[in-house]
Structure formats: C-alpha cells, structure tokens
C-alpha cells in the first residue's frame, strides 16, 4: 500500500534567516504530513538568486535552513530533504516548461506585479520566470499536493495550467497538482507592524523573531512588540492587531483557543502577557536552535551526508518523469 500515499512537494527559499513565521506557518505543518504523505522538502536556493546574495551568506543560510528543517522534526528517514541546486533536473525541466508557458500568463502573476515595484533596480528575467521554475519543482516529482500559503496559490494554478497544456500536446505526461492550503496554518505578522507579514527578508530585524535568536533577544522583541493602549487581552484583529498577532502566536505554540487565552490573561496587562508569549516561543525554538547549532559545528559531516543522500533520492525520483518528457518532446535517447 506504500504507493497509495499522495506525494507532497514544498520548499522555502534561503533569502533570509528562518523566522517564527516560517516555522509556525510552514515547517510545523510539514512535520505532521510525514506519516500520511510521501514528502519532498527542499531548500529552494535556485529561487533565492532572483535577489543578489552575498555568496557566503547564501551558503550559510542554505546549510542552516537544512539543519533547522531536521531539528524542527523533518525526518530524512521519512522524507526526501535536499538542496534544489544539487538536482539539476529542476533547471532542465524549468527551461523546457518555459517553452510551454505564455508571456501573457506570467505577466498576470500578482507576485510579479508586486516585484516590478519592489525590485525595480534589479528586475531580472528570473523574477518573471520564477513561477515556471516553481512549476518544474512541482511537476518533476508527479506531485499531487503542494502546501502553500494563499499568496502562492496562483503559482500552483499556473503549474497546473502548464501541465494541462503540455499533456494536451503529448498525452498524459504530467500528474496534475492541487494547491493545499492547510486549515491550521497560522499567519504570523511582524512584531513592529502587525498589519504586515513576519518576513525573513524584512529590513527591520526587530519585527521578526528568528529561529536562531537567543532567549534574551526573543524576550526583548516581544516586550517591545507593538500593541495598543486598551490594555485588554482580547482577540480583535481589527482594533487590536498587535494583541491578535501575539494571541495567534501563543495559540499556535500552546494549542490553546483564543477563549482560553482571554480567560488566562483576564485582568492581567500586557506586562504579563508579552513575557508569557516570549517564554512559550523560547521553549519551542530552543531545541530547534540548539540542534541546528550542533549540525553546523560537530555534526557538520552528518549534515553533509543527509543532504547528499537527499539529493540522490530526489534525482532518482525525478529521472522517470524527466525521461518521459525528453522522449515525448523528441530528444535523442541518451
Ligand atoms: N509570517 C508567516 N506566517 C505564516 N506563514 C509564513 N510563511 C512565511 N512567512 C510566514 C510560509 O513559509 C513558506 C515558505 O515561504 P518562502 O520563504 O518561500 O516565501 P515567503 O512566503 O515569501 O516568505 P518570506 O519570509 O516573506 O520570504 P521573503 O522575505 O524572502 O519573501 C510559505 O508556505 C509561506 O506561506
């Protein structure tokens, strides 16, 4: 029955240090998928180079991200965990699919429109074709489900459209993927601007809690978190976005409902609530950070073994799909 498991692909780009948002919004859910699905979890470093990176920083982030995946609970024995740049099939299929993607449809991508404004000084064609590479990431493994945030749903739809177009020409080559927006995915906001997403590439490091932050730094960030003058711990995102964000974090970490949290902090001010949130966050991040620190020092050989094995398994899984594609297109057999 092993083959009856549906296949999942997901990745995070190493464009910044992973945050509490990356953990609660993505990785924590991925951990839970591992028994029910056949999962591939990637560090999508090819996607990261649409912005300019310092080479040493990119290398450090990719290794650190891999270490954090593992110590957060992604298990290399259950899932395929690897670096995208180690599997050149991604780039090969990306090129091929680019020839089956229309400029008009890429032009309609919301994220591209945003990037046109945000990154006007380096509007490289990688930003434009990013969704094609993402389609390749997904289709390369006969992926059925792609766990994504709302903002990436459009890209999964595009991958599906490209697959339908390709299958229309050549027959049943690609499996059609579905976006999978998990029900319990917490959307974590910035601590300094609770109307904006907590982002790993935020210019203001005070707005994001990083997985590698020390307990001291975490406490300071939460104590300074933007709230309001009402002084009541109540879930009201409209009027108290800062407190609602802290409650979302507290709830995601402890599993308590908003009602329970309101009762727990009834009559207590933010001076009690904020440190309490910092404490539970520190407790959940500490083992991930300490485990990652080990993989980046004494455990470096083991980390290397894990990513090499992961890449080998990913290459093995991609080969039959890529061979199908090469054959139907008309490339000479190798
Ligand atoms: N604050 C967040 N709350 C909930 N989920 C989040 N994710 C990221 N931040 C939060 C989820 O993490 C996954 C991978 O995201 P990504 O790194 O590939 O891209 P992103 O969503 O663009 O993340 P960032 O941190 O905002 O990166 P930058 O700053 O580089 O653009 C996704 O599933 C996302 O929903």
């Amino acid at each position: 029955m092993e083959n009856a498991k549906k296949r999942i692909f997901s990745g995070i780009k190493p464009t910044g240090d992973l945050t509490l948002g990356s953990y609660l919004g993505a990785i924590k859910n991925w951990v839970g998928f591992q028994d029910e699905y056949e999962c591939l979890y990637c560090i999508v470093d090819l996607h990261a180079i649409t912005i300019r990176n310092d080479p040493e920083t990119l290398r450090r982030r990719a290794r650190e991200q891999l270490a954090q995946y593992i110590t957060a609970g992604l298990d290399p024995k259950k899932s395929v965990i690897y670096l995208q740049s180690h599997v050149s099939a991604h780039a090969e299929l990306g090129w091929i699919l680019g020839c089956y993607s229309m400029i008009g449809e890429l032009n309609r991508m919301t994220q591209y429109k945003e990037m046109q404004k945000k990154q006007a000084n380096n509007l490289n064609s990688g930003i434009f074709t990013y969704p094609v590479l993402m389609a390749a990431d997904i289709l390369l493994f006969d992926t059925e489900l792609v766990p994504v945030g709302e903002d990436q749903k459009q890209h999964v739809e595009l991958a599906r459209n490209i697959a339908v177009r390709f299958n229309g020409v050549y027959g049943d080559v690609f499996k059609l993927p579905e976006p999978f927006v998990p029900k319990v995915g917490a959307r974590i906001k910035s601590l300094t601007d609770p109307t904006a997403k907590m982002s790993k590439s935020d210019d203001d490091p005070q707005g994001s809690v990083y997985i590698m932050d020390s307990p001291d730094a975490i406490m300071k960030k939460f104590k300074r978190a933007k709230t309001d003058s009402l002084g009541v711990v109540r879930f009201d995102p409209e009027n108290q976005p800062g407190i609602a964000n802290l409650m979302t974090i507290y709830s995601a970490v402890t599993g308590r409902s908003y009602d329970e949290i309101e009762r727990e902090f009834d009559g207590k001010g933010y001076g009690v609530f904020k440190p309490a949130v910092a404490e539970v966050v520190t407790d959940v991040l500490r083992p991930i950070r300490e485990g990652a620190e080990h993989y980046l020092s004494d455990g470096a050989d083991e980390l290397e073994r894990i990513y090499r094995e992961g890449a080998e398994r990913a290459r093995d899984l991609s080969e039959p799909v890529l061979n199908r594609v090469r054959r139907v297109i008309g490339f000479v057999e190798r």
Side-chain angles (χ1 to χ4, degrees):
M1 288 307 285
E2 195 71 2
N3 292 337
K5 279 187 181 176
K6 288 196 171 180
R7 197 174 279 173
I8 277 186
F9 176 94
S10 210
I12 300 180
K13 47 186 163 40
T15 41
D17 297 337
L18 292 192
T19 70
L20 180 65
S22 329
Y23 175 65
L24 295 177
I27 302 172
K28 189 166 182 250
N29 277 323
W30 297 358
V31 173
F33 297 151
Q34 295 182 108
D35 290 321
E36 201 178 332
Y37 302 101
E38 192 185 332
C39 306
L40 289 106
Y41 294 126
C42 191
I43 287 107
V44 284
D45 49 1
L46 294 180
H47 285 285
I49 63 167
T50 55
I51 61 164
R52 292 284 171 262
N53 297 279
D54 165 60
E56 279 316 314
T57 307
L58 180 61
R59 230 185 310 277
R60 173 187 64 76
R61 280 189 179 139
R63 293 175 73 247
E64 193 169 289
Q65 192 172 314
L66 179 80
Q68 291 165 336
Y69 274 12
I70 294 160
T71 57
L74 299 183
D75 182 351
K77 290 198 191 74
K78 293 182 187 165
S79 304
V80 180
I81 303 170
Y82 70 103
L83 298 154
Q84 188 186 26
S85 60
H86 288 187
V87 180
S88 25
H90 285 270
E92 182 178 345
L93 188 61
W95 167 257
I96 293 172
L97 294 184
C99 302
Y100 297 81
S101 311
M102 298 302 141
I103 287 178
E105 63 189 344
L106 297 182
N107 249 328
R108 285 195 292 275
M109 294 294 113
T110 314
Q111 232 177 44
Y112 173 62
K113 287 184 196 156
E114 284 164 9
M115 290 306 276
Q116 278 178 304
K117 290 181 218 135
K118 239 170 97 179
Q119 209 175 295
N121 61 345
N122 178 22
L123 197 63
N124 57 75
S125 62
I127 293 171
F128 185 62
T129 56
Y130 177 106
V132 179
L133 181 59
M134 184 167 158
D137 302 338
I138 296 166
L139 300 177
L140 191 55
F141 298 105
D142 283 334
T143 305
E144 286 155 287
L145 296 172
V146 189
V148 283
E150 279 294 334
D151 50 345
Q152 288 284 346
K153 240 173 110 177
Q154 197 186 25
H155 290 166
V156 182
E157 300 294 350
L158 177 78
R160 210 183 146 85
N161 291 344
I162 297 172
V164 168
R165 183 174 304 134
F166 195 94
N167 287 354
V169 181
Y170 300 108
D172 252 353
V173 178
F174 291 123
K175 213 165 232 178
L176 301 186
E178 307 265 358
F180 178 37
V181 183
K183 282 184 211 77
V184 285
R187 302 304 295 165
I188 309 301
K189 308 290 183 158
S190 155
L191 296 188
T192 47
D193 175 7
T195 59
K197 176 178 154 197
M198 182 181 287
S199 212
K200 56 184 143 52
S201 60
D202 195 335
D203 291 335
D204 173 15
Q206 296 309 313
S208 300
V209 172
Y210 300 99
I211 292 182
M212 299 308 263
D213 273 348
S214 69
D216 249 16
I218 295 174
M219 184 57 80
K220 279 199 191 108
K221 286 181 184 181
F222 276 105
K223 280 189 174 166
R224 286 192 203 133
K226 187 167 178 199
T227 48
D228 52 67
S229 53
L230 297 172
V232 213
V233 178
R234 189 177 44 202
F235 193 74
D236 181 357
E238 187 102 344
N239 299 306
Q240 296 180 258
I243 286 298
N245 186 36
L246 296 186
M247 287 179 76
T248 303
I249 294 171
Y250 195 74
S251 168
V253 173
T254 62
R256 281 170 224 166
S257 69
Y258 296 136
D259 279 351
E260 285 170 319
I261 300 170
E262 284 176 5
R263 277 200 298 278
E264 189 180 342
F265 294 95
D266 186 27
K268 296 176 185 149
Y270 299 163
V272 175
F273 181 51
K274 285 173 161 188
V277 184
E279 296 279 350
V280 295
V281 167
T282 300
D283 286 348
V284 83
L285 294 186
R286 180 183 281 117
I288 306 176
R289 171 174 57 82
E290 290 178 351
E293 281 165 354
H294 163 74
Y295 274 121
L296 297 169
S297 53
D298 296 348
D301 288 349
E302 200 187 340
L303 191 74
E304 190 173 324
R305 186 184 54 72
I306 291 171
Y307 68 65
R308 283 186 196 281
E309 278 179 19
E312 210 172 297
R313 287 170 67 199
R315 278 193 288 270
D316 287 348
L317 290 174
S318 71
E319 205 52 22
V321 183
L322 205 47
N323 275 335
R324 253 179 2 235
V325 172
R326 293 175 183 134
R327 199 176 323 116
V328 297
I329 286 182
F331 294 152
V332 175
E333 220 169 298
R334 321 173 158 212

